[in-house]
Amino acid sequence: MKGYISGTAAITPQHTFDTGRYLEEWVDHQTSYLSATEPAYREIIDPKLLRRMSRIIKMSVASAYKAMQMAKVEIPGAVIVGTGLGCVQDTEKFLKEIIDNEEGILSPTAFIQSTHNTIAGQIALMLQCPNHNFTFSNRGHSFENALEDALLQLQEGVEHVLVGGADEITPIVHELMGSIRCVSINQEDQLSVLGEGAAFFILTKDQNEQSFAAIEDTVAFNNPLVDDVRGKVVQFLDRNELASADIDLVLMGHNGVADGFFDAMGDLMKENAIAQFKNISGESFTASAYGHHLAAVMLQKQQVFQNTLVSGKFGGSLDRILLYNHYKGVNHTLTLLSKCPS
Amino acid sequence: MSHRVFVSGYGIVSALGFGAEANLNALKQQVTGIAPPQFLKTKHCTLPVGEVKASNESLAEMAGVSDKKPVSRTVLLGLIAAREAVEKAGLDEGQLRTSGLISGTTVGGMDISEHAYQSLQKGERVDYTKSFSGHDCGHSTQAIATGLRLSGALSTISTACSSSANTIMQAARLIKAGQVERVIAGGTDALSLFTLNGFNSLKILDAELCKPFDEHRQGLNLGEGAAYLVLESEAALNARGGVAYAEVTGYGNANDAYHQTASSPEGKGAFLAIKKAFEIAGKTDLTIDYVNAHGTGTANNDLSESNALKMIFNDQVPALSSTKSYTGHTLGAAGAVEAVFSVLAILGQHVYGNYNLSLPMSDGLEPERNFRSIKIDHVLSNSFGFGGNCSSLIFSKV
């Protein structure tokens, strides 16, 4: 299963939406979680529609539109979205109304927008796109499920697919996730920092003029032991007929917190240049969507951006990037991305 | 290479009871499971719902969950139904371990987190770890996989009311593509204040027992439940000597692209989904003998679905009924609940009555009044949801 990346865009806590100035300026977040650095949406989305959209919808629609423009695709052959928590802003809003009004007369607006597939549904509605429309919400594999479905669509003969991952944070979600020890709430915590954003892609079945990178292969697995990681990586490289020396950059989802899995990966790939992406995206159920986006942009621009290289040396050219991420040690991901031959 | 996809096991929990047999008996005897809520603590104590008649404590006992933490009914219902499905299939530990699980749900652990959130709003002390860590949709899938000791690939689909129809479609696609051999697919959703008040705010709940496809239908009744199918490739099924109860021959998903919550009057998305399902089935002579409709009982859905069906079947619509006046609308579980009913219809060569129908819609269809025997080779099952999500499945006799 292979898919060509012919367009991609991402909104993250850093400046990633404007590809001309990609990660040039670094935003220092003084808050305990990383909120998205959002573009001027009015230039991208019809202001009449914009008013009713929650942030996760705005971030997703803007990223999706931009990816489609890059790929010169007007109506995608499928719309597939991964989101770990879905539309939490509207979910919270409606829950609060239920409680405040003691189940009295309620406005349905927040409820209507609260379902997980509001993002994919809104995109279909705005584009008048009648095609396959799926939403996955599967913890740290929400985006991976979506990506697997996208590649399956291409295998089934669909020309191009819009696929993305998105999650938003509210102060209450942040507080709750901190309380359940999923993320840090203060700087002393040895836990990951929560972030939010959206990353969308147009994947095409065949390489075209717009294609700049390819997803060669991807695998998602659960609950491995630290000792299993080496075997999983070797097996993955083997099935792609590659050795670790063929990888120009390893992009990992570590974030400065002690972690046996990333240590094992770092040890296995110690001869390779290793880069990180969660200092940009923060941690979330769909952080890996951004990891895939960053790998694609690096391959496109043949550039390793500031604040990403962790160890080793960038050799000057990028043909293949191996992405490795895990969420809470449970949901693991390996993806091989390559530069398109020109 | 395209592999055939067989249904080799099924399990169900709904307002009609626990297990396929109890559900079938209720459908045969034409007894509805819809009644005022006994277990959901809501101010809307007269609104009829399709509630599973058991407390969380007894569900936990049935599911074999001894956790002291509050566990969502979504997880408990899911575990009970999924366990029945794998037992029916006769999977041994090893076969189970390598199976995948694709589960659908709309609100996941909301039934627990809405209470914790309420306590939080009121400034009461809550132990967050015990409630919010099970809120997200993916949690129930992981919990069911752990309960079944399953370590294959996991996936969770959340496309509103078509969620579990889509899990069956996804499993069939993966098996057809030769990527997996065996998948447990279905869905689970518990009643919650969130969904009950949500549908109430949309003014589409019937204050009485719902009347799908009736001229004077007033809306839907919410329900809860879970259902799972074991789906296998022909090779995997033969290798272990399993039984094929039915075959998944067609599936299709399309978007209505009309409105976030309402369906287009002409049923554009529904029409496209059914058409795709026929294309996948790939047989021009495929005659549908029974349609298990989405048929929620809302003015909008039943009109839209009727129009789509009339268009697909050139006004010669096969035997048709909605079973939602028995179970209520079980949201993310509905597609799988009705998939089990479809498989049972094939096995028993019968159709279900469209309970509580008085006067069929004037410009609509003539649904079945009663449970009766007919010859069935192919069943079409529809599921439509918010976000314009329309899905259709075709089950065939083996």
Side-chain angles (χ1 to χ4, degrees), chain B residues 119-375:
Chain B
S119 306
L120 190 72
Q121 287 284 303
K122 290 176 181 162
E124 295 166 11
R125 271 181 63 94
V126 216
D127 188 346
Y128 301 120
T129 46
K130 291 183 178 172
S131 12
F132 290 106
S133 50
H135 172 77
D136 65 295
C137 291
H139 171 260
S140 53
T141 310
Q142 201 179 308
I144 294 165
T146 307
L148 295 178
R149 295 208 176 85
L150 184 151
S151 46
L154 304 184
S155 179
T156 312
I157 294 179
S158 193
T159 51
C161 309
S162 57
S163 298
S164 58
N166 286 337
T167 67
I168 293 166
M169 187 180 318
Q170 195 72 355
R173 289 170 62 214
L174 289 166
I175 292 170
K176 255 190 202 306
Q179 287 184 26
V180 291
E181 290 196 318
R182 184 183 303 113
V183 182
I184 297 155
T188 177
D189 250 325
L191 280 169
S192 67
L193 298 179
F194 188 84
T195 44
L196 188 70
N197 281 281
F199 282 92
N200 196 38
S201 73
L202 283 164
K203 300 187 168 53
I204 51 173
L205 290 181
D206 193 331
E208 311 284 334
L209 180 63
C210 67
K211 300 184 278 288
F213 296 112
D214 193 286
E215 180 69 10
H216 303 299
R217 65 197 182 281
Q218 297 293 319
L220 59 87
N221 301 140
L222 271 193
E224 65 181 352
Y228 290 87
L229 300 181
V230 178
L231 298 171
E232 285 184 87
S233 70
E234 192 168 19
L237 186 70
N238 291 340
R240 68 174 187 89
V243 179
Y245 295 107
E247 183 177 357
V248 181
T249 49
Y251 46 78
N253 172 266
N255 200 282
D256 198 36
Y258 175 75
H259 185 271
Q260 167 65 10
T261 53
S263 303
S264 60
E266 73 276 23
K268 185 179 57 176
F271 175 82
L272 289 172
I274 301 169
K275 198 163 148 269
K276 272 192 188 176
F278 275 102
E279 283 163 13
I280 293 288
K283 290 182 196 152
T284 44
D285 60 343
L286 187 82
T287 310
I288 297 292
D289 303 296
Y290 168 56
V291 179
N292 187 295
H294 186 55
T296 57
T298 65
N300 176 239
N301 175 80
D302 296 1
L303 175 70
S304 172
E305 188 171 10
S306 288
N307 286 338
L309 288 171
K310 283 193 283 187
M311 198 155 43
I312 282 281
F313 293 106
N314 294 320
D315 290 331
Q316 301 294 308
V317 179
L320 160 124
S321 63
S322 162
T323 42
K324 288 203 169 63
S325 39
Y326 286 107
T327 59
H329 187 357
T330 56
L331 304 180
V337 161
E338 288 155 33
V340 171
F341 292 167
S342 299
V343 171
L344 292 173
I346 290 171
L347 290 172
Q349 298 286 296
H350 56 241
V351 292
Y352 310 105
N354 193 104
Y355 192 71
N356 203 29
L357 179 73
S358 308
L359 178 68
M361 290 159 61
S362 58
D363 57 345
L365 311 164
E366 239 344 293
E368 294 295 314
R369 296 271 178 171
N370 294 300
F371 184 96
R372 68 176 176 106
S373 294
I374 66 164
K375 181 180 170 296

Side-chain angles (χ1 to χ4, degrees), chain A residues 132 149-158 205, chain B residues 169-170 172-174 176-177 251 280:
Chain A
H132 176 93
D149 186 27
L151 294 169
L152 183 57
Q153 284 285 324
L154 298 180
Q155 193 183 321
E156 289 169 343
V158 173
K205 183 158 69 81
Chain B
M169 187 180 318
Q170 195 72 355
R173 289 170 62 214
L174 289 166
K176 255 190 202 306
Y251 46 78
I280 293 288

Side-chain angles (χ1 to χ4, degrees), chain A residues 103 128 130 133 138-139 149, chain B residues 42 136 156 173 253 255 389:
Chain A
E103 298 190 65
Q128 285 297 296
N133 192 288
N138 195 34
R139 315 212 110 177
D149 186 27
Chain B
T42 170
D136 65 295
T156 312
R173 289 170 62 214
N253 172 266
N255 200 282
N389 210 281

Side-chain angles (χ1 to χ4, degrees), chain B residues 59-79:
Chain B
L59 286 176
E61 210 180 306
M62 275 183 254
V65 172
S66 54
D67 219 325
K68 288 283 170 274
K69 291 196 258 184
V71 179
S72 166
R73 283 171 83 87
T74 302
V75 171
L76 300 174
L77 297 171
L79 256 173

